[in-house]
Amino acid sequence: MISPCILVCSIDMKTGYCFGCGRTRDEIAGWIDYSDAERQSIMDMLAARMETIERKPRRETRRQRLAKERQTT
């Protein structure tokens, strides 16, 4: 199953979007129940949503760290 989650789960109170992935709480909660087409439709909107969030995550996520470690080995 595709997922935009980067393990930074915190909601921007101004926009209602997750700082890590750009989804709303309802989208995150219902993700497993969505069809692949519904998930893709939401994922197509995430880049634009992320542009509306003022504060970006500052820490390196676990997923990013693991990806770096895989690249160096």
Side-chain angles (χ1 to χ4, degrees):
M1 170 188 324
I2 60 171
S3 175
C5 181
I6 62 167
L7 305 175
V8 176
C9 302
S10 182
I11 302 295
D12 176 26
M13 298 310 288
K14 182 176 178 183
T15 62
Y17 301 140
C18 173
F19 287 112
C21 68
R23 295 178 292 171
T24 65
R25 288 175 197 240
D26 289 340
E27 290 167 345
I28 293 167
W31 196 252
I32 198 164
D33 296 323
Y34 293 148
S35 69
D36 288 342
E38 289 170 315
R39 287 187 204 106
Q40 189 59 55
S41 176
I42 293 168
M43 289 189 63
D44 291 343
M45 295 184 282
L46 297 181
R49 287 181 181 182
M50 294 299 286
E51 293 297 320
T52 68
I53 298 174
E54 293 178 15
R55 182 177 66 89
K56 304 289 190 266
R58 294 185 191 146
R59 66 183 177 101
E60 179 179 61
T61 67
R62 180 173 180 241
R63 184 173 285 177
Q64 289 169 333
R65 188 181 74 249
L66 291 172
K68 273 190 207 175
E69 289 173 3
R70 283 189 207 115
Q71 290 174 351
T72 60
T73 53

